[in-house]
Amino acid sequence: MKPDNENLNLGDWAPHEFEEQGQKLIQLIREYFENIRETPVSTDITPKELLNMLDGPIPNKAESFDLTLDETWEKIIPHLTHWNHPSFHAYFSITASFPGILADLLISSLNVNAMVWKASPAASALEKIVLRWITEMVGYDPSSDGVLINNASLATFYALVAARDALTDLEVRTKGLTGRVLPTLRIYTSDQAHSSVDKAAIALGIGTDHAVRIPTDEYYQMIPEELEKVILSDLEKGFRPMAVVATVGTTATGSVDPLSSISDICKKHGIWLHIDAAYGGFWNVVPEIKNKSEDLQLGDSIVVNPHKCLYTPLEVTAMFCRRQGALSNSFRLVPEYLQTENEDGSIDYMDFSLQLGRSFRSLKLWWIIRSFGLEGLTSRMRRSIQLAEWLEKEVNLHPDFECVTTSHFPLLCIRYVPEHLQNIWTELKLDENEESKKYLDKLNAQIMQKLNQSGLVYLSHAVIREGYVIRISIGNIKQNLDDIKTLWDTIQKIAKEVNQDSPSPIMLK
Ligand SMILES: Cc1ncc(COP(=O)(O)O)c(C=O)c1O
């Protein structure tokens, strides 16, 4: 059949059309950011309403992009939770910075695949350089193997695969885990560690029962003595300790495990230490934090997450392993069609994870780090820490609120404990009572719900030993003191309203 060059259903947009639409889009993005403070941070639309509004048949005929763009702004954007919003304080307060956004556009435009060096030399070279920069920024061995992947959960999984395969006598890579007798492998992590450790245990075939949770102290840090006790008892039972996952910046409270003592235990028993510094690692860019921080060098492997605190649009995570060759020992597998000639200095990044096709993530980091400079990143991150310190002080000065935990990082867990209730409970000797704790849990949960329904701020919660707490993450590149003052005013106002509407605590006996 002869190719039909006249058919309009062929080919891409004309380049001028791409440019026109691109300019329109950039203008809209600019306005989105300029007006973001006036935009509700979240939406109250129900899933049903949203699905009814968006659902429809597959368009058979090409539609005008103007219409698609209009509908994106009318129907999609108002119904997002805006993670870029300076009033977004849930999970981790993150931002897509402008250099990162533009880099994403170029990454998609170039569409190169950084799987093997030859497939995209400059993308692989840049990855090597950016990874070295990151080791310097967070304080890790610059000669370690590193790789950029999409998220921290996968990084922990990959690190634990490497840890498992480092037990070479088990020959799991070739012989697998099934149909033969193997010792029970054990992973140890704190009771505050992220659920990704359990997910890794599931995917590794080790099982969640063998991802042992070690108790934490009053500061939510893993207790090394408890770790060693469990390891010794496991050894007696014939279990095989495989890895310890320590955390620098736990999800709920931002606590940091005592790496040095944990590392000593790992060394003594020949156990791999993986450090989940997904949240905490990059704060080492700020010298005051680095001085207080634990030494990431102690990890056989680490993960740090630029998309959590380095103004990098999702998804970029850096994983490093200072046991050279361990990652490729697990993941290097080169079918014939991927055989290339390796010249001195080249790296095939497909060797360090399960991913073959890989986007040009390093460009995003290269642009961000160059555009702000280390100094600029430091001052922006320091600003977030100062804002958190300001808020912590205000909370502690208020008679009705408690700052339940403190962290090096700009992350606060606060709890509303009205002073008049404290007085009544003291009088009735109900203090520390389970009922009063339950009442406060409910009250704080209602406050959180109302705060999020307000559209003025967006927060998430944690349940820790002290009970249900309102968790406040600060870290957006645009956040300023006015934003934090507004947040604090809103919390106080809504807490008071909820408290007034709640039944009298006297009835709580
Ligand atoms: C401490 C910690 N580790 C790992 C993760 C998982 O991160 P990701 O979403 O990049 O997989 C999180 C996410 O909140 C986290 O807080």
Side-chain angles (χ1 to χ4, degrees):
M1 206 161 54
K2 224 170 121 217
D4 171 10
N5 288 333
E6 302 304 312
N7 191 337
L8 285 177
N9 277 338
L10 292 172
D12 203 347
W13 288 354
H16 72 86
E17 205 179 338
F18 167 72
E19 187 182 346
E20 280 161 26
Q21 297 297 357
Q23 280 175 356
K24 235 184 272 171
L25 178 63
I26 297 272
Q27 172 72 24
L28 284 166
I29 294 171
R30 177 191 155 160
E31 287 166 10
Y32 160 78
F33 278 106
E34 280 178 339
N35 301 324
I36 200 159
R37 280 195 175 77
E38 287 73 52
T39 309
V41 58
S42 59
T43 172
D44 54 9
I45 196 166
T46 65
K48 265 201 179 141
E49 286 169 334
L50 199 46
L51 290 167
N52 282 343
M53 180 175 66
L54 296 178
D55 207 359
I58 304 175
N60 201 28
K61 298 265 180 230
E63 291 181 357
S64 111
F65 190 66
D66 282 329
L67 178 66
T68 307
L69 212 48
D70 284 350
E71 288 200 7
T72 307
W73 251 259
E74 270 166 33
K75 296 183 178 174
I76 308 281
I77 294 182
H79 302 299
L80 292 171
T81 299
H82 293 284
W83 287 63
N84 276 323
H85 201 298
S87 297
F88 181 98
H89 297 281
Y91 316 112
F92 291 112
S93 168
I94 60 172
T95 340
S97 62
F98 287 133
I101 294 168
L102 288 180
D104 260 338
L105 179 61
L106 183 57
I107 292 165
S108 304
S109 307
L110 298 172
N111 202 27
V112 297
N113 189 335
M115 52 187 195
V116 293
W117 188 278
K118 283 278 182 195
S120 263
S124 298
L126 207 54
E127 185 153 346
K128 198 169 171 184
I129 288 153
V130 162
L131 285 164
R132 201 202 68 233
W133 285 1
I134 295 176
T135 58
E136 287 176 31
M137 290 163 85
V138 306
Y140 197 65
D141 182 354
S143 68
S144 59
D145 291 336
V147 64
L148 295 176
I149 55 171
N150 51 351
N151 70 24
S153 304
L154 275 179
T156 291
F157 168 69
Y158 293 141
L160 292 176
V161 173
R164 184 196 63 193
D165 294 342
L167 306 175
T168 48
D169 58 310
L170 302 184
E171 298 179 281
V172 173
R173 185 183 147 131
T174 45
K175 298 202 162 57
L177 284 164
T178 61
R180 63 203 190 104
V181 180
L182 286 174
T184 301
L185 300 180
R186 303 274 272 183
I187 300 167
Y188 309 90
T189 197
S190 91
D191 59 22
Q192 296 298 305
H194 191 258
S195 49
S196 51
V197 181
D198 295 302
K199 280 203 180 181
I202 295 168
L204 277 159
I206 286 174
T208 51
D209 283 356
H210 302 293
V212 185
R213 295 287 181 153
I214 306 297
T216 49
D217 64 13
E218 61 189 300
Y219 303 110
Y220 293 100
Q221 299 169 325
M222 192 196 290
I223 304 171
E225 295 75 21
E226 294 290 333
L227 171 68
E228 184 150 39
K229 225 192 298 173
V230 177
I231 290 173
L232 290 173
S233 150
D234 277 3
L235 286 169
E236 248 175 51
K237 289 178 197 149
F239 293 156
R240 182 92 180 254
M242 186 190 97
V244 173
V245 180
T247 312
V248 172
T250 55
T251 315
T253 68
S255 66
V256 176
D257 287 333
L259 299 183
S260 150
S261 314
I262 293 172
S263 159
D264 288 346
I265 297 167
C266 288
K267 279 184 193 141
K268 192 159 116 192
H269 298 284
I271 304 173
W272 184 291
L273 174 59
H274 173 64
I275 302 174
D276 176 356
Y279 173 56
F282 269 107
W283 295 101
N284 275 350
V285 163
V286 184
E288 305 88 280
I289 298 294
K290 181 113 198 281
N291 290 341
K292 288 191 254 178
S293 220
E294 295 278 335
D295 185 3
L296 296 183
Q297 300 269 24
L298 297 170
D300 293 290
S301 53
I302 67 162
V303 52
V304 292
N305 226 336
H307 70 214
K308 284 199 176 30
C309 31
L310 208 72
Y311 318 121
T312 309
L314 291 156
E315 306 156 347
V316 188
T317 292
M319 173 178 59
F320 298 96
C321 179
R322 81 181 150 76
R323 290 207 200 181
Q324 283 176 9
L327 284 170
S328 53
N329 185 43
S330 291
F331 295 110
R332 182 170 163 79
L333 188 74
V334 191
E336 182 54 41
Y337 84 105
L338 292 173
Q339 298 279 358
T340 51
E341 215 174 281
N342 276 8
E343 290 161 76
D344 195 25
S346 70
I347 294 181
D348 295 337
Y349 280 99
M350 68 166 186
D351 290 350
F352 296 140
S353 79
L354 282 178
Q355 226 183 323
L356 171 61
R358 308 171 62 255
S359 76
F360 190 179
R361 289 197 172 93
S362 57
L363 186 81
K364 225 176 338 189
L365 289 166
W366 199 55
W367 280 23
I368 289 169
I369 298 170
R370 288 183 61 145
S371 300
F372 296 122
L374 199 49
E375 250 180 49
L377 289 169
T378 307
S379 57
R380 285 168 175 85
M381 295 176 88
R382 183 182 286 124
R383 155 63 73 92
S384 296
I385 292 161
Q386 289 165 346
L387 292 175
E389 284 170 354
W390 179 88
L391 183 59
E392 185 175 347
K393 213 162 117 205
E394 290 295 310
V395 172
N396 282 330
L397 283 174
H398 198 293
D400 296 337
F401 283 90
E402 284 174 358
C403 211
V404 177
T405 57
T406 47
S407 166
H408 298 335
F409 313 121
L411 180 64
L412 277 73
C413 290
I414 72 168
R415 191 158 154 92
Y416 182 62
V417 188
E419 194 181 26
H420 73 278
L421 290 192
Q422 295 174 41
N423 295 339
I424 294 170
W425 283 327
T426 312
E427 239 172 70
L428 296 177
K429 301 200 181 352
L430 282 174
D431 217 15
E432 300 297 320
N433 172 298
E434 265 313 301
E435 285 303 308
S436 59
K437 200 172 164 201
K438 259 196 228 155
Y439 177 81
L440 288 175
D441 283 351
K442 212 168 136 204
L443 193 63
N444 278 273
Q446 283 168 348
I447 294 167
M448 255 286 307
Q449 200 184 3
K450 264 204 120 175
L451 279 164
N452 284 354
Q453 281 166 354
S454 75
L456 298 171
V457 295
Y458 196 79
L459 297 139
S460 57
H461 74 283
V463 176
I464 53 177
R465 284 192 283 272
E466 287 81 354
Y468 185 105
V469 291
I470 299 168
R471 190 181 157 285
I472 303 168
S473 168
I474 295 175
N476 184 295
I477 202 166
K478 294 183 179 63
Q479 267 156 4
N480 58 36
L481 187 57
D482 283 343
D483 293 316
I484 305 302
K485 282 183 174 167
T486 307
L487 165 72
W488 180 220
D489 289 345
T490 310
I491 292 175
Q492 290 173 80
K493 184 171 161 284
I494 288 184
K496 213 166 162 187
E497 283 168 15
V498 171
N499 187 35
Q500 274 161 5
D501 293 344
S502 298
S504 162
I506 309 284
M507 320 211 336
L508 283 172
K509 177 79 179 70

